């Protein structure tokens, strides 16, 4: 979703996209591992909630951009 948002905003950079993807993946894996080590098996939910929230924010920006570009005829 972040890559699509950056494309819609005409500021997509593949190096930022790839590095963000890798860093988010490593962070999620580390949270799962840390949760297992300290005995908090539900720590992975922190990654799910955080990354899920970012997806919804990105989707809302994409939706707003699309709605602004496709306004109903007759409205300004």
């Amino acid at each position: 979703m972040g890559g699509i948002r950056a494309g819609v905003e005409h500021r997509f950079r593949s190096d930022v996209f790839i590095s963000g993807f890798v860093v988010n993946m490593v962070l999620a894996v580390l949270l799962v591992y840390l949760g297992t080590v300290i005995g908090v098996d539900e720590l992975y939910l922190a990654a799910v909630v955080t990354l899920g929230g970012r997806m919804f924010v990105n989707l809302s920006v994409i939706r707003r951009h699309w709605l602004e570009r496709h306004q109903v005829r007759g409205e300004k």
Side-chain angles (χ1 to χ4, degrees):
M1 288 300 192
I4 295 170
R5 175 185 176 177
V8 165
E9 294 176 342
H10 303 292
R11 56 186 187 102
F12 179 81
R13 289 182 40 201
S14 60
D15 57 339
V16 173
F17 176 75
I18 297 295
S19 64
F21 180 79
V22 171
V23 168
N24 286 340
M25 182 178 56
V26 169
L27 179 61
V29 169
L30 287 174
L31 281 173
V32 171
Y33 175 73
L34 180 64
T36 303
V37 169
I38 64 174
V40 181
D41 294 330
E42 291 81 21
L43 192 58
Y44 72 93
L45 290 175
V48 171
V49 169
T50 302
L51 298 177
R54 289 177 61 187
M55 286 176 54
F56 282 109
V57 168
N58 287 329
L59 186 58
S60 70
V61 169
I62 293 166
R63 178 182 46 82
R64 285 187 191 121
H65 180 77
W66 187 86
L67 288 172
E68 287 174 4
R69 295 193 73 195
H70 298 91
Q71 289 182 351
V72 177
R73 295 179 194 253
E75 293 183 11
K76 292 186 178 186

